[in-house]
Structure formats: structure tokens, C-alpha cells
Amino acid sequence: MDVPAGLGERGLSIWAAMATEDVPRNALVLEAARLADRLDELDNIIQGKGVLNLMVFRLDMESGEDGEYNVEVKFQNVFSEARQQAIAFSTILSKLAPADAAAKPANVPIPTNVTPLDRIKARGLKKA
């Protein structure tokens, strides 16, 4: 199976660990790998290590009545984009990983310093 071009260090490790012969699954794995790389790039930008055009200028060339020009300056919201990418990454990984809900709960002893009601609740959870 070919390794997709353009993946970074973390993307390559995700691809190597999760790719299979299943084409639909690999589409999700590839997107997860790309998102991981994007998150690394965004983290570098947030730390001041990366390069991003953080400002956008727009000049309205038509002058107003007084000969004034309008200049619009917008700043990119890197934190918001990083949050959005993290949500997308988490969503894709949750679709790829086995469901934790199907796993059996660990047989953890009930502590002695709990109320009788807590003991009953804990016993009920163990049976479920």
C-alpha cells in the first residue's frame, strides 16, 4: 500500500499505525493524518514558530466625499481554527477507534469509606 504524499511526521505515523486494506477506512485515516499535521502547523503558529498571513488588508479605491479612502484590516483567528481542526480530528478518530463502551468495566473494589447508597450504586454498575 502506497504512503500518501504530503504527510508530515505525525501524519505519517498515524497512517502507518492505522491504515489497512479497507479503502473507506483509509480515507478516514488519511483525513486524520492530514488533520494531525494541520494541528501541528497551527500549534507552531500559536507558539510563534510558524508562518501565517495573520492580517488581511482591503482598500476601497473609490474615495469618499472628502477624498478619504476606506481601509479594512482583518486578523485571522488561529485559535478558533485550531479548535475546529481538533474537533474534526477527534470526530474522525472516534469513528476509527473501537468503541470503549463495549469494553468490560474493570473489577475495581469498592472503597470502605463510602456510604451504603454508594455501595448499592457501585454494585448495580458492575452488573450492567
Side-chain angles (χ1 to χ4, degrees):
M1 172 178 0
D2 293 336
V3 176
L7 293 179
E9 184 179 340
R10 196 161 74 144
L12 286 171
S13 65
I14 288 174
W15 178 261
M18 301 182 81
T20 65
E21 296 298 321
D22 184 10
V23 175
R25 175 186 168 82
N26 285 351
L28 286 176
V29 172
L30 178 58
E31 287 309 309
R34 288 176 177 161
L35 283 166
D37 288 340
R38 275 189 217 123
L39 285 168
D40 286 346
E41 289 175 26
L42 287 167
D43 188 52
N44 284 336
I45 291 165
I46 290 168
Q47 293 180 28
K49 299 174 188 173
V51 177
L52 176 69
N53 186 7
L54 294 175
M55 291 189 291
V56 177
F57 293 94
R58 189 173 141 233
L59 177 62
D60 185 359
M61 294 304 291
E62 295 183 26
S63 64
E65 295 175 10
D66 301 331
E68 296 177 0
Y69 294 95
N70 292 323
V71 177
E72 183 179 342
V73 180
K74 292 184 179 181
F75 292 89
Q76 303 296 331
N77 194 341
V78 178
F79 294 109
S80 175
E81 183 60 26
R83 179 179 47 81
Q84 295 283 348
Q85 295 292 317
I87 290 169
F89 182 65
S90 173
T91 301
I92 288 176
L93 286 182
S94 70
K95 293 182 183 315
L96 291 169
D100 290 335
K104 289 185 176 180
N107 191 8
V108 178
I110 302 169
T112 57
N113 61 343
V114 296
T115 68
L117 181 58
D118 289 334
R119 287 178 174 280
I120 292 169
K121 286 179 185 176
R123 277 191 221 118
L125 291 175
K126 283 186 180 180
K127 291 179 184 177

